[in-house]
Amino acid sequence: MSTDDFIDMRSDTVTRPSEAMRDAARDADVGDDVYRDDPTVNELERRAADAVGMEAALYTPSGTMANQIAINVHTDPGQEVLLERESHVYRWELAGASALSGLQTRTIDAGERCVPTLEEVERGIVEEDLHRPGTGLLTLENTHNYRGGIAVPKERLDAAATAARDAGVPVHLDGARVFNASVALDEPAPDLVEEIDSVTFCLSKGLGAPVGSILAGDEAFIEAARRVRKLFGGGMRQAGMIAAPGLLALENVDRLAEDHANAAALAAGLDDLPGVSVPEPDTNIVVADTEAAGIEAGEFVEACTDAGVGCGEFDAYTTRFTTHLGIGGEDVDEAVDRVSEVVAALSA
Ligand SMILES: *Cc1c(COP(=O)(O)O)cnc(C)c1O
């Protein structure tokens, strides 16, 4: 299998920068960003803040760092952070909240809703007293990665966020794919995060930048976040080289609709295969359940990869496929054909 022929749907992080992005990187006006001298980073931070309707923004090397900075700034060591059980921050960030910020985590099982209800948040909040640490932060996620890229509607985010804020607890949104949510819900991103104190989003996923994420919030919050970024080793120098493609990535928001259409076609095609069940996706993440075919995710991913379709194991019988700007309609058709042969071979 040549690399060209491999249909890589492991993640929307696998996209390669366009020629325009490579040109922009080469031609970027740069300076030392730790001294705030890099005009390209400064412009990216301004435009990124506008894109989510926040006062200010900070460019970070990764989404994980952006989330962990936010958690650190919002809280004091020894407090609790309230998380949804299947959230990225809880599942896939190496217990950063405790390792980096000295927090105790308290989880809420929000089930298929992805975001806890107002009542669940109220029950999860701990008031500080002589024996109890107090809740320092609520984090939410949109779109919800583990639940299959679900675009959580504004009403549900608002309800959870309001419950926290009414109790004096700030709210951080892990919006790694917040623009996928915005496009799917036809709701401008600033409206979606109206009741949220800080938001993270990835430039390096569906938006197609080679590297980088954004943390946005109010001026004072971002000022504090800048120090914590330095503390975590994320202060970068002539970062305009990587921020320039990020500026172009911000123009890729509308085209996310293509990824969603491709994901819907992929889901329908895979769902037609015997023993494979795939719910209709909201956005660009497709989760295939192969339990009825008796195919475990581990062997399924391995066989799909051998057949030239990249995907990733999620759980015992569930596998994730992600569409992105490197995947066209014809790739989806070809992927379904290849996976169909895999399913036939493994079910036999
Ligand atoms: C990818 C992702 C992140 C982390 O982003 P990295 O840039 O990979 O560190 C955080 N949250 C969610 C929901 C993600 O999907």
Side-chain angles (χ1 to χ4, degrees):
M1 183 84 33
S2 80
T3 17
D4 278 355
D5 201 29
F6 188 71
I7 303 172
D8 197 349
M9 296 195 281
R10 285 173 300 165
S11 173
D12 47 6
T13 54
V14 302
T15 54
R16 311 287 167 85
S18 64
E19 285 306 314
M21 285 182 176
R22 291 166 193 265
D23 288 345
R26 190 194 55 222
D27 298 338
D29 199 359
V30 298
D32 187 330
D33 180 51
V34 172
Y35 293 114
R36 311 200 54 181
D37 279 351
D38 191 302
T40 309
V41 173
N42 292 341
E43 188 189 346
L44 175 63
E45 291 180 344
R46 242 183 345 263
R47 297 228 333 244
D50 286 348
V52 286
M54 295 279 182
E55 271 176 25
L58 184 72
Y59 183 48
T60 64
S62 72
T64 301
M65 188 189 281
N67 281 334
Q68 294 301 324
I69 291 170
I71 289 169
N72 186 278
V73 174
H74 282 301
T75 60
D76 293 319
Q79 285 189 312
E80 288 195 0
V81 54
L82 193 55
L83 301 157
E84 188 269 324
R85 190 167 67 90
E86 306 295 2
S87 64
H88 192 281
V89 170
Y90 184 60
R91 278 183 75 113
W92 280 301
E93 298 190 12
L94 294 126
S98 56
L100 300 171
S101 298
L103 300 170
Q104 169 161 284
T105 51
R106 179 178 295 267
T107 54
I108 298 176
D109 184 350
E112 301 295 323
R113 283 173 284 110
C114 304
V115 159
T117 60
L118 182 143
E119 293 75 19
E120 285 167 331
V121 172
E122 283 176 348
R123 269 199 302 277
I125 286 175
V126 167
E127 270 199 60
E128 184 188 331
D129 66 17
L130 184 59
H131 304 281
R132 311 194 78 197
T135 302
L137 179 67
L138 168 69
T139 73
L140 303 173
E141 183 172 318
N142 201 15
T143 64
H144 196 292
N145 174 35
Y146 185 73
R147 296 285 183 192
I150 288 183
V152 180
K154 176 174 162 58
E155 308 77 67
R156 268 198 262 143
L157 283 176
D158 284 358
T162 307
R165 293 175 90 178
D166 285 352
V169 174
V171 184
H172 173 71
L173 180 71
D174 177 359
R177 299 186 182 83
V178 73
F179 294 107
N180 292 86
S182 162
V183 166
L185 297 165
D186 195 18
E187 181 97 43
D191 292 348
L192 216 44
V193 303
E194 202 178 353
E195 300 298 329
I196 304 286
D197 295 285
S198 63
V199 58
T200 297
F201 67 86
C202 292
L203 296 163
S204 58
K205 288 187 171 160
L207 300 182
V211 58
S213 284
I214 294 291
L215 172 61
D218 68 27
E219 296 275 5
F221 172 83
I222 293 300
E223 216 36 59
R226 201 172 286 282
R227 282 192 88 230
V228 176
R229 183 184 66 175
K230 193 75 175 71
L231 173 68
F232 289 175
M236 298 179 285
R237 303 299 180 174
Q238 285 70 38
M241 298 287 293
I242 48 173
L247 277 163
L248 294 178
L250 288 176
E251 287 164 24
N252 279 337
V253 169
D254 290 340
R255 67 151 303 285
L256 293 173
E258 290 171 39
D259 297 344
H260 300 174
N262 284 330
L266 177 68
L270 296 179
D271 189 57
D272 278 345
L273 305 179
V276 181
S277 130
V278 187
E280 202 179 314
D282 281 358
T283 57
N284 69 326
I285 295 175
V286 171
V287 180
D289 186 326
T290 49
E291 187 163 16
I295 306 172
E296 285 180 12
E299 56 170 338
F300 185 57
V301 170
E302 201 178 312
C304 287
T305 306
D306 288 346
V309 179
C311 48
E313 191 175 337
F314 239 14
D315 251 330
Y317 288 99
T318 53
T319 297
R320 184 183 83 159
F321 298 78
T322 312
T323 57
H324 51 76
L325 52 72
I327 301 293
E330 62 293 352
D331 295 316
V332 168
D333 295 341
E334 177 62 26
V336 171
D337 285 349
R338 292 178 188 178
V339 176
S340 149
E341 283 171 30
V342 167
V343 170
L346 293 181
S347 322

